[in-house]
Amino acid sequence: MADEPTTPAPAPEPETEPAAVLPEEPKGDPWADPEAARREIEKLRRENAAHRTRNKELEPMAEAARQAEEAKKSEVERLAEQVAAAQQQVAAARQAAVQSEVRALAAPTFADPADAAAFLGSDYVGDNGSVDSDRIRADLAALLERKPHLARPQDGPRRPAPDPTQGSSGNGARTASDPGAQFAAFMKGALNGR
């Protein structure tokens, strides 16, 4: 074995006490080095101060924008309420106009024109806002066909004509239908002692 080359043995390391092994912080972490941490804190403080200053400058503008938005919102709500009230007034006026037109057109043929207005709706306003009288007349005629009892009675005596002697037929005596003759018969009976 003399022919084999020998490799020098590694030199023994001097014996020292093992140092406390601290986990290595990643490079670039400012908190590992106290001086770097102090610089990072100072940098963050300056940024924070700049943000506070900027916030104080913008706060009045933000408040003014909020107030303008609230004023605008309340103005929009107020206008919306006015529009709704105006629409209700227009609808009521249209309904009143239609009811008046129905009563006016029903007066010649209906006993009570209010009955015609009650049976017909108020859906007679055209696209241009005017009352459609022709349609009302047609619907009134159709209503009279369906409900003839709503019609105005014809001129002349009612049919059947009342008979004033109907009540006295129970005692067997028929009296004349003339009131003067009835009075004369009464007086004659009273004088004769009946």
Side-chain angles (χ1 to χ4, degrees), residues 3-26:
D3 293 359
E4 289 183 20
T6 58
T7 57
E13 292 186 22
E15 286 202 25
T16 58
E17 292 214 11
V21 178
L22 294 175
E24 288 190 23
E25 295 291 329

Side-chain angles (χ1 to χ4, degrees), residues 7-61:
T7 57
E13 292 186 22
E15 286 202 25
T16 58
E17 292 214 11
V21 178
L22 294 175
E24 288 190 23
E25 295 291 329
K27 303 244 183 216
D29 184 11
W31 307 113
D33 180 25
E35 185 60 33
R38 186 184 61 73
R39 285 192 305 266
E40 185 66 23
I41 290 171
E42 289 299 320
K43 177 182 142 195
L44 292 174
R45 283 183 180 166
R46 284 190 303 272
E47 287 177 6
N48 191 15
H51 288 302
R52 280 194 311 264
T53 304
R54 180 77 174 149
N55 189 21
K56 285 182 182 179
E57 291 172 357
L58 295 178
E59 198 170 282
M61 289 189 285

Side-chain angles (χ1 to χ4, degrees), residues 134-152:
D134 295 333
R135 215 170 107 213
I136 293 174
R137 280 188 193 97
D139 287 351
L140 286 173
L143 179 62
L144 278 179
E145 286 178 21
R146 284 191 323 262
K147 299 184 180 290
H149 61 278
L150 296 176
R152 178 183 293 267

Side-chain angles (χ1 to χ4, degrees), residues 17-119:
E17 292 214 11
V21 178
L22 294 175
E24 288 190 23
E25 295 291 329
K27 303 244 183 216
D29 184 11
W31 307 113
D33 180 25
E35 185 60 33
R38 186 184 61 73
R39 285 192 305 266
E40 185 66 23
I41 290 171
E42 289 299 320
K43 177 182 142 195
L44 292 174
R45 283 183 180 166
R46 284 190 303 272
E47 287 177 6
N48 191 15
H51 288 302
R52 280 194 311 264
T53 304
R54 180 77 174 149
N55 189 21
K56 285 182 182 179
E57 291 172 357
L58 295 178
E59 198 170 282
M61 289 189 285
E63 182 61 29
R66 275 192 295 273
Q67 289 176 353
E69 185 66 30
E70 285 298 317
K72 182 179 178 184
K73 182 179 177 183
S74 64
E75 181 71 16
V76 168
E77 289 174 352
R78 185 180 62 78
L79 290 175
E81 289 173 0
Q82 287 179 350
V83 166
Q87 287 174 342
Q88 287 177 347
Q89 288 176 344
V90 166
R94 284 182 176 174
Q95 184 176 4
V98 167
Q99 294 295 318
S100 295
E101 185 75 12
V102 167
R103 285 192 302 272
L105 293 174
T109 54
F110 279 77
D112 186 4
D115 289 341
F119 280 103

